[in-house]
Amino acid sequence: MTRVTDADTRALRASSAATPKARGPRESMLSRGVAMLIMVIFTLYFLIPIWWLLVASSKDRGDLFTTNPLWFADFNLWNNIVALLNYDGGVYVRWIVNSIGYAGVGALVATVLAGMCGYALAKYRFRGREVLFNVVLGGVLVPATALALPLFLLFSQVQLTNTFWAVFLPSIVSPFGVYLARVFAEASVPDELLEASRLDGAGEIRTFFTVSIRLMLPALITIFLFQFVGIWNNFFLPLIMLRSEELFPVTYGLYAWNSTINQFPELRTFVLVGALLSIVPLIITFLLLQRYWRTGLGAGALK
Amino acid sequence: MRHMKKAAGVAILATVALTMAACSSSGDSGGGSDAAACAPSEGDVTLTFTSWIPGIEDAVAIWNDANPDIQVEVQTGPSGNAGTYQNFFNQLEAGNAPDLGQIEYDAIPNFRVQDGLEDLAACEDVVAAEDQFLDWTWGQVSLGTEDEVYGIPQDQGPMALFYRSDLFEQNNIPVPTTWEEYKSAAEQIRALGGYITNFSQSDINQFAGFVWQADGQWFQNDGNEWTVELTSDASETVADYWQDLIENDLVAVYPPWTDEWNNAYNSGEVWTWNSAVWGANSIASGAPDTAGKWSVAPAPQWAAGDAAAGNWGGSSIAVFKGTDHLYEAAKFALWLNTSEEALTSLNETAAIYPATKAGLELPVLQEGVEFYGGQKIYDVFAEAAGQVNPDFVWGPTMTQTYADVSDGFKAAIAGDGTLADALADGQEKTIAALEAQSIPVAK
């Protein structure tokens, strides 16, 4: 499954690297040429695996090993997709829906929580504020993988393993999101504006949801994107928590198939086509949110 | 907001539960032993069963229809070594293991040493079923003991020689029946520009199958201590044989299961494959252009006239420690692996090659296979299944042993050391790993 995850991240990096906007002072032709060359090489480096995946997905099993790996043979993509969607009672569709549920809803909740938390840390003075912030910041350093096993033992105790919640609950916390939200709230939500809305009679919660959240939108979109991609690619947690096929996210389902390819070779095509389809939602999310995201980074940098 | 409350609630619950578990767990451990009684449970029973075999649900559905009072729920995941075994250990640790699980033969000793499996010898039906299974498959689940049974054998992988009958015929090369003839065939094929086979640098299981065939043992257990014999005479004979072929460039060394590997077979560069019965599908799918050109012959022998076969793969259904329904679990596991309807279903959906004597007579296994020119290839494997040495035992740390030996094999392929060196290194590290887990090792 590392291949899929790599392809995912490559897709993201590639699409951001592929649209540079050169402005500012003129450079010499040479340095410009060298820079272009390096960028072209890296673009190819990131795009070729996806190209390969697309080509491989369009071949039937016989052609896969016998024809040029980087060019099309008989075009069977649609047949392959139909076969994939029908295999094992359409379980793949279920996995995609699950992934969208875990990653979409999870990232949304995580964004709201991180936004509120960061905002509170930035805009309210209370005892233990810095300690709390440092503890949260410490959470950034702990890799999700290291937490998976303790989480499994905890969830076992409350009999929540092998449920939707086992993957969803750990996904809705984002220490990095809190950090980002705090930095951004400090920079972009003026205290004067909050005072003004208080004077106008708005409560703290209303102020947050009607005024502050708009000012923080670029940061929130960034947090959402990070968290969405993070949950989508989080593979170890479902591996440890889930047993029932109907709860799998797509990454884990494909991994399970892939691990039995030696004995069930017909799954190879499904893994390839499934991997190709599984990056589509990521690309769509990214393209839809990209412009918010870029203005967000820019706004942060200018302040 | 609602989610946050829920999360907080769960966190508090979890803390409380953990504290309580910590207080009570010392008291629990004494009461576990009476689970060994194999008596029917009262009322309806639901069993959980984890397996990664695609399509096993179909066989389970047949059982569920016929047994409304013992329902089986299938759970799934990646293949054993790709994560499911680790999950089993985690679940045993957390006390929520499934009732039944798929475990390959080479992993049973590991679960046994960690005390993760119920001894099915407590169940009369299981003991009575021994005669239905091939001796050696039963040996795999009894771990060579007389009075213990840690699983019901499901499938097996007796080994034979897949070969390109068309190429052998065209070039007047006789199909080798001994390893000596195999080497001279390898030289003739090399002269024609091909390779006789691909030495699989990372499938230590294939190599173990060769050692198994040569009557070698890697492990023995007398009930108290483990003996590690990766460097036994038989093991070294096999290693030296393949080392010689590798050094003389008589075999290809493509990494197994890759595109290059498939392509080498598909293009006719590689002519034979010493593999298990399930390999029939691997070739058919990896080398589709060669349809109709393959045949299967008994594995080459170390001495002319011998009839020994190795085994590569195979698994069992085991019952995990802590189940409340040992009787029902054993009953289901027996049905799944002995009844004709279940075996037929497993063969159809997942090409499972049964471990029972009667299973080898299934009608589907008596037919000619088109990819192999209509040859009744399963006759060859059925014969091989009867020639597998029943005494071969796996060790309790196979994952580590495979990894160490495989590292050494890869180095040997790259010209750094030999296969025998890799085995010696694996021997040393395996003993160290056993001792690190306080498993007694005979010196």
Side-chain angles (χ1 to χ4, degrees):
Chain A
M1 199 42 40
T2 46
R3 179 181 285 160
V4 177
T5 357
D6 281 350
D8 292 344
T9 44
R10 276 172 208 168
L12 292 175
R13 282 185 221 154
S15 50
S16 62
T19 53
K21 286 209 172 126
R23 287 209 184 116
R26 280 188 63 129
E27 304 150 76
S28 78
M29 287 297 278
L30 184 67
S31 71
R32 204 186 176 115
V34 170
M36 281 305 284
L37 187 70
I38 290 175
M39 270 189 304
V40 166
I41 290 173
F42 272 89
T43 310
L44 287 178
Y45 178 77
F46 288 125
L47 284 182
I48 283 177
I50 298 182
W51 174 249
W52 177 86
L53 185 63
L54 179 67
V55 170
S57 302
S58 74
K59 293 179 180 176
D60 68 19
R61 249 192 298 153
D63 286 343
L64 189 56
F65 302 117
T66 51
T67 54
N68 184 344
L70 290 179
W71 196 247
F72 297 98
D74 279 353
F75 196 78
N76 279 307
L77 183 59
W78 309 125
N79 295 345
N80 289 344
I81 290 178
V82 170
L84 167 74
L85 299 184
N86 286 322
Y87 180 75
D88 197 6
V91 72
Y92 180 80
V93 180
R94 175 90 205 207
W95 292 344
I96 286 279
V97 171
N98 289 344
S99 270
I100 291 173
Y102 293 128
V105 182
L108 201 65
V109 176
T111 307
V112 173
L113 290 180
M116 295 199 302
C117 186
Y119 173 78
L121 286 168
K123 290 294 156 197
Y124 298 112
R125 312 259 169 274
F126 53 90
R127 274 167 61 108
R129 182 170 78 141
E130 288 309 313
V131 176
L132 197 64
F133 181 65
N134 287 333
V135 169
V136 172
L137 206 54
V140 177
L141 302 175
V142 184
T145 320
L147 291 175
L149 196 54
L151 279 173
F152 173 75
L153 295 175
L154 279 169
F155 277 77
S156 292
Q157 292 291 345
V158 290
Q159 308 201 335
L160 275 177
T161 54
N162 198 28
T163 61
F164 171 80
W165 302 108
V167 173
F168 182 78
L169 290 181
S171 305
I172 60 173
V173 289
S174 165
F176 181 69
V178 173
Y179 167 75
L180 213 63
R182 177 185 178 168
V183 171
F184 203 86
E186 251 163 20
S188 67
V189 184
D191 285 338
E192 295 80 358
L193 206 59
L194 296 183
E195 273 162 35
S197 71
R198 276 176 203 139
L199 284 177
D200 286 344
E204 294 301 324
I205 291 182
R206 185 163 170 207
T207 308
F208 174 74
F209 279 103
T210 52
V211 178
S212 314
I213 212 167
R214 280 156 215 246
L215 295 169
M216 288 170 68
L217 199 61
L220 295 181
I221 300 272
T222 308
I223 296 170
F224 179 85
L225 263 182
F226 270 107
Q227 197 64 7
F228 184 85
V229 174
I231 301 173
W232 191 278
N233 288 336
N234 187 356
F235 161 75
F236 199 59
L237 189 68
L239 169 71
I240 283 196
M241 291 289 186
L242 301 180
R243 309 282 170 258
S244 304
E245 206 170 47
E246 63 270 15
L247 289 173
F248 288 0
V250 67
T251 46
Y252 181 38
L254 290 175
Y255 172 80
W257 278 355
N258 193 42
S259 75
T260 55
I261 273 183
N262 289 359
Q263 284 170 50
F264 307 100
E266 62 276 15
L267 288 175
R268 190 187 297 271
T269 320
F270 295 151
V271 171
L272 288 172
V273 181
L276 180 71
L277 293 188
S278 79
I279 60 176
V280 172
L282 279 180
I283 293 175
I284 291 175
T285 316
F286 197 86
L287 290 182
L288 284 180
L289 298 177
Q290 192 188 25
R291 70 199 169 93
Y292 299 100
W293 189 48
R294 277 197 291 151
T295 51
L297 282 191
L302 280 176
K303 274 277 171 180
Chain B
M1 292 293 272
R2 262 184 54 235
H3 290 296
M4 192 162 82
K5 271 187 189 153
K6 213 156 217 164
V10 167
I12 292 165
L13 256 179
T15 321
V16 173
L18 261 192
T19 325
M20 281 163 59
C23 299
S24 66
S25 61
S26 54
D28 274 354
S29 50
S33 58
D34 62 357
C38 191
S41 308
E42 282 175 26
D44 290 353
V45 168
T46 303
L47 301 169
T48 47
F49 167 41
T50 302
S51 165
W52 56 86
I53 311 281
I56 207 162
E57 303 87 353
D58 295 357
V60 173
I62 301 176
W63 166 271
N64 282 342
D65 284 345
N67 295 277
D69 50 339
I70 308 176
Q71 291 291 294
V72 178
E73 232 172 67
V74 179
Q75 306 183 328
T76 189
S79 69
N81 282 314
T84 293
Y85 292 151
Q86 192 51 52
N87 281 338
F88 285 156
F89 283 119
N90 293 343
Q91 290 169 306
L92 283 165
E93 179 83 31
N96 62 359
D99 296 290
L100 298 130
Q102 188 103 32
I103 299 186
E104 287 154 300
Y105 295 136
D106 54 0
I108 295 178
N110 194 1
F111 282 92
R112 170 70 193 96
V113 163
Q114 312 272 350
D115 198 26
L117 303 178
E118 293 283 358
D119 183 356
L120 302 179
C123 301
E124 279 170 38
D125 294 352
V126 173
V127 177
E130 177 172 353
D131 288 345
Q132 297 184 40
F133 292 88
L134 286 163
D135 283 355
W136 78 266
T137 61
W138 195 261
Q140 294 291 300
V141 295
S142 65
L143 304 182
T145 62
E146 284 297 316
D147 50 358
E148 294 168 37
V149 185
Y150 292 105
I152 307 293
Q154 179 161 79
D155 65 326
Q156 52 173 330
M159 292 170 74
L161 181 68
F162 293 94
Y163 68 99
R164 284 287 297 272
S165 39
D166 61 324
L167 294 175
F168 274 90
E169 216 163 279
Q170 278 163 29
N171 296 289
N172 275 327
I173 302 172
V175 178
T177 58
T178 64
W179 287 113
E180 208 180 314
E181 289 174 19
Y182 194 75
K183 189 188 167 185
S184 65
E187 283 160 350
Q188 296 174 55
I189 292 169
R190 193 72 200 102
L192 295 165
Y195 285 105
I196 192 163
T197 193
N198 184 71
F199 182 76
S200 189
Q201 46 189 305
S202 57
D203 280 317
I204 306 308
N205 265 300
Q206 183 194 31
F207 187 85
F210 293 150
V211 175
W212 197 333
Q213 186 211 12
D215 218 8
Q217 288 271 14
W218 273 2
F219 293 88
Q220 282 181 61
N221 178 15
D222 64 1
N224 297 314
E225 289 181 317
W226 287 86
T227 313
V228 185
E229 294 179 315
L230 290 178
T231 49
S232 67
D233 290 348
S235 198
E236 294 208 321
T237 307
V238 175
D240 292 343
Y241 177 82
W242 288 100
Q243 182 69 34
D244 179 45
L245 294 187
I246 293 166
E247 276 171 12
N248 290 304
D249 187 34
L250 296 174
V251 290
V253 288
Y254 297 108
W257 312 112
T258 57
D259 292 355
E260 302 106 287
W261 182 77
N262 278 310
N263 201 30
Y265 278 99
N266 198 35
S267 64
E269 183 188 355
V270 178
W271 290 25
T272 75
W273 189 29
N274 299 277
S275 186
V277 56
W278 46 262
N281 282 343
S282 309
I283 300 189
S285 91
D289 290 359
T290 57
K293 297 174 179 168
W294 289 87
S295 298
V296 181
Q301 301 294 317
W302 286 102
D306 277 2
N311 172 71
W312 180 2
S315 63
S316 68
I317 306 298
V319 180
F320 288 105
K321 206 91 194 189
T323 177
D324 293 327
H325 309 294
L326 180 57
Y327 175 84
E328 287 78 10
K331 198 173 165 189
F332 166 73
L334 266 182
W335 173 87
L336 184 66
N337 297 318
T338 57
S339 77
E340 188 172 339
E341 44 189 349
L343 292 177
T344 307
S345 164
L346 287 175
N347 186 273
E348 275 168 9
T349 54
I352 290 286
Y353 190 70
T356 57
K357 294 167 191 163
L360 302 187
E361 316 276 312
L362 285 181
V364 280
L365 297 177
Q366 313 306 316
E367 293 160 13
V369 182
E370 211 178 307
F371 187 85
Y372 297 91
Q375 189 192 353
K376 294 181 175 178
I377 60 168
Y378 294 105
D379 289 354
V380 181
F381 290 106
E383 205 181 330
Q387 299 167 348
V388 177
N389 176 7
D391 298 328
F392 192 92
V393 177
W394 297 106
T397 54
M398 288 319 294
T399 313
Q400 162 270 325
T401 303
Y402 289 148
D404 287 331
V405 176
S406 162
D407 286 350
F409 275 16
K410 281 175 200 150
I413 300 281
D416 179 16
T418 63
L419 302 181
D421 293 344
L423 289 173
D425 186 50
Q427 165 93 6
E428 207 174 288
K429 288 183 173 158
T430 300
I431 291 178
L434 290 171
E435 284 173 343
Q437 294 185 36
S438 309
I439 299 168
V441 182
K443 294 286 169 187

